[in-house]
Amino acid sequence: MNGLQVSLASIEEDCEVDIVVVDDGSDRRPKPENLNYNQGNIKVIALKKNRGIEYALNEGLKYIESKNYKYIGRLDCGDLCQPNRFKIQISFLQKNPKIALVGSWVNIIDEQGKFHYILKHPESHAELSKKIYFNSMFVHPSVIFKTSILKDIGYYPTTYKAAEDYAFFFKVVKQFKTANIAKPLVDYVIDPNSISSQKRKVQVKSRIKIILNHFYFGYYPIYGLFRNILLLFVSRNFTTVLKKMIYHKK
């Protein structure tokens, strides 16, 4: 609950932002009246039992789609928004109508709020569509996309455990133009209890399956496949330290 409150408190926008909270069968289900939020309406969807994040995400998408919202934004409990994060990204999509999904750079921080580095993913669709074979080129809690794309690509796949976002982004990149804003709009918390940390090997194996599903004989798929096979034998802590060293130099 504390993580949710912190995330909601970080939303400071000049426009109205409605929130959909999906509780995946927890013992402490939040109630809208107990959530301190005044930037828009807030809806809580409480699932009866825990089925996994991919199913929780899809329940949220179904509700949002039924209400005819034009844009869908993401934020995980505990992560923080920079001021006007949503307004900046929506304005970007409005000014660039051919782009269907936009993410951003993010500040990587620890659970104590200490800044580590800025994670800088490529900005252009041309580069994103190639390098997505290496890893996800979007930080999930930083993305905003047009609701209309769901008619073409569907919801989050449920067959790739711990990598539903990677599979989703792959589908988007293959059918629509995408981008990242070269500015950190989200503070992303490195959490040792996150899915990426606790289900490291499961996630990497799912990534490999996704790459093979979109495979062709070329530099990016081949390099990406070998890179992810190598990650099966490397710890999350090692890659975190490596990223810190790389991005501190930029």
Side-chain angles (χ1 to χ4, degrees):
M1 182 70 78
N2 288 338
L4 175 58
Q5 294 282 16
V6 167
S7 295
L8 291 176
S10 75
I11 300 173
E12 299 178 16
E13 299 282 335
D14 293 335
C15 61
E16 188 173 282
V17 176
D18 292 344
I19 298 294
V20 178
V21 178
V22 182
D23 179 90
D24 192 15
S26 75
D27 295 329
R28 299 176 60 191
R29 299 183 179 184
K31 296 180 179 180
E33 59 270 23
N34 296 332
L35 298 175
N36 185 21
Y37 184 73
N38 57 12
Q39 293 276 164
N41 299 315
I42 189 162
K43 167 73 175 180
V44 175
I45 299 174
L47 304 183
K48 292 182 179 180
K49 62 179 182 178
N50 182 287
R51 297 185 64 195
I53 187 172
E54 61 272 29
Y55 292 97
L57 287 168
N58 286 339
E59 288 300 321
L61 291 184
K62 291 173 186 177
Y63 174 82
I64 293 168
E65 204 174 21
S66 73
K67 296 298 181 181
N68 297 316
Y69 284 101
K70 189 173 182 180
Y71 302 104
I72 298 174
R74 280 280 295 122
L75 188 64
D76 286 334
C77 283
D79 293 335
L80 310 173
C81 291
Q82 293 295 315
N84 281 318
R85 168 254 168 126
F86 294 110
K87 183 179 180 180
I88 291 169
Q89 290 181 287
I90 290 172
S91 295
F92 181 91
L93 290 173
Q94 291 172 339
K95 292 175 183 176
N96 299 275
K98 291 184 179 180
I99 293 176
L101 179 149
V102 62
S104 75
W105 291 357
V106 300
N107 294 318
I108 301 297
I109 64 175
D110 59 27
E111 292 180 295
Q112 287 70 48
K114 180 182 177 182
F115 171 82
H116 286 262
Y117 60 90
I118 298 175
L119 181 55
K120 302 176 181 180
H121 282 319
E123 301 164 51
S124 71
H125 177 75
E127 195 171 0
L128 290 166
S129 62
K130 295 175 183 176
K131 291 188 175 179
I132 197 167
Y133 282 94
F134 301 167
N135 196 356
S136 178
M137 290 291 106
F138 306 96
V139 179
H140 202 186
S142 80
V143 302
I144 285 185
F145 56 89
K146 295 177 180 177
T147 308
S148 59
I149 70 174
L150 297 176
K151 295 177 182 177
D152 294 295
I153 66 169
Y155 301 139
Y156 287 90
T158 58
T159 53
Y160 302 105
K161 294 300 180 184
E164 73 293 326
D165 54 341
Y166 186 46
F168 182 81
F169 294 145
F170 235 117
K171 291 198 297 180
V172 176
V173 164
K174 290 296 181 180
Q175 297 189 50
F176 297 94
K177 298 293 184 183
T178 59
N180 274 314
I181 294 174
K183 178 181 180 181
L185 297 179
V186 172
D187 292 350
Y188 182 81
V189 180
I190 301 174
D191 182 0
N193 296 313
S194 69
I195 291 174
S196 296
S197 298
Q198 290 192 331
K199 298 183 179 180
R200 171 72 169 177
K201 288 193 175 183
V202 172
Q203 184 181 64
V204 175
K205 287 178 181 178
S206 290
R207 281 191 210 159
I208 292 170
K209 291 178 182 178
I210 294 165
I211 292 170
L212 289 173
N213 191 43
H214 296 276
F215 190 81
Y216 67 90
F217 282 100
Y219 167 75
Y220 292 97
I222 292 172
Y223 178 83
L225 184 60
F226 279 105
R227 180 184 182 275
N228 279 275
I229 291 172
L230 180 63
L231 287 176
L232 287 173
F233 307 97
V234 178
S235 70
R236 176 74 187 275
N237 288 338
F238 176 82
T239 57
T240 299
V241 171
L242 186 61
K243 286 180 182 178
K244 188 175 179 179
M245 292 171 62
I246 293 171
Y247 287 104
H248 263 312
K249 294 180 181 180
K250 294 186 178 182

